[in-house]
Amino acid sequence: MTLRFIGIDPGTDGNNCPSVWVDEKDGSIVIQGWEVMDHADLAQVAARSPIPDNEKIVRVPRRMAKLLMEACGGAADDV
């Protein structure tokens, strides 16, 4: 897997921050974020889409939308 760094949460100090990457091989998006641990939030997600043992639910702030759009191939200014 060859990851290309897209960006880091623009509202943080650069330490232990959510970030967005793109896998150059298959185009998938890799997101570093805060693991969701709240049982009510996890139950709500699992009610719609069961969470297997090899998956985690992560949270990133809305201010990262431009980075996610860029990772999807859209212009950052589209958001």
Side-chain angles (χ1 to χ4, degrees), residues 36-51 57:
V36 174
M37 303 294 286
D38 182 86
H39 295 292
D41 289 346
L42 292 170
Q44 188 172 355
V45 171
R48 175 70 177 189
S49 177
I51 307 167
I57 305 303

Side-chain angles (χ1 to χ4, degrees), residues 23-43:
D23 185 325
E24 293 286 356
K25 186 173 182 178
D26 67 8
S28 62
I29 298 169
V30 176
I31 299 174
Q32 173 188 350
W34 301 291
E35 183 177 358
V36 174
M37 303 294 286
D38 182 86
H39 295 292
D41 289 346
L42 292 170

